[in-house]
Amino acid sequence: MKSNKGFSLVELIVVIAIMAIIAGVAIPVYSAYITKAEESNSVQLCADAAYAAELANIEYGTTATVAVTATTATITFADTDDTTTNENLAAAQVQTVANDEKVVASGAVVTITFAKSLSEEGVTKAEEALARLN
């Protein structure tokens, strides 16, 4: 008498079909989770930059204005005197405190570049995070 010690072709096909169904459900859910996590990271980066900008405003006597799009957030510093030293120092401080390669200071302007474009809700959250500066 011969004993079968393996799986039949039908059993293997059933297992592959089940795995395909699970993957078909899991991949979109996982993609949405990753997108939401990246958006949350961008909003948190804006909040960190806003906190640093608020401290820089106090320390250097500057004011900051904010503009947010789906791909970037921009913080522009201004000072009451005609020198640009305080604005540049404030922008550099924000870049240092944020400590992220997506935050770049150029003169008196700090630009935060988001990893992926934000949704309308993400832009609103980023604006809220930076609202303390206006």
Side-chain angles (χ1 to χ4, degrees):
M1 180 157 54
K2 183 177 176 184
S3 69
N4 292 332
K5 294 187 179 187
F7 296 106
S8 71
L9 182 60
V10 173
E11 291 171 328
L12 291 175
I13 290 174
V14 167
V15 168
I16 290 172
I18 291 170
M19 289 175 59
I21 291 169
I22 291 171
V25 171
I27 290 173
V29 171
Y30 181 73
S31 296
Y33 174 76
I34 294 298
T35 301
K36 187 174 179 180
E38 287 173 344
E39 193 164 281
S40 294
N41 185 35
S42 296
V43 171
Q44 183 60 47
L45 190 58
C46 287
D48 292 346
Y51 176 73
E54 194 171 28
L55 292 177
N57 284 343
I58 293 167
E59 185 172 344
Y60 298 110
T62 57
T63 58
T65 56
V66 178
V68 179
T69 67
T71 56
T72 61
T74 306
I75 303 171
T76 306
F77 290 95
D79 197 358
T80 54
D81 62 16
D82 291 334
T83 65
T84 59
T85 306
N86 287 347
E87 294 100 327
N88 292 350
L89 289 172
Q93 180 173 332
V94 170
Q95 181 180 10
T96 302
V97 170
N99 194 23
D100 193 298
E101 68 274 358
K102 296 177 199 109
V103 180
V104 178
S106 176
V109 178
V110 176
T111 304
I112 304 167
T113 305
F114 305 132
K116 288 193 175 182
S117 292
L118 299 181
S119 65
E120 287 183 29
E121 180 183 355
V123 170
T124 302
K125 287 180 180 179
E127 287 172 343
E128 289 171 359
L130 291 166
R132 65 169 54 168
L133 296 175
N134 287 335

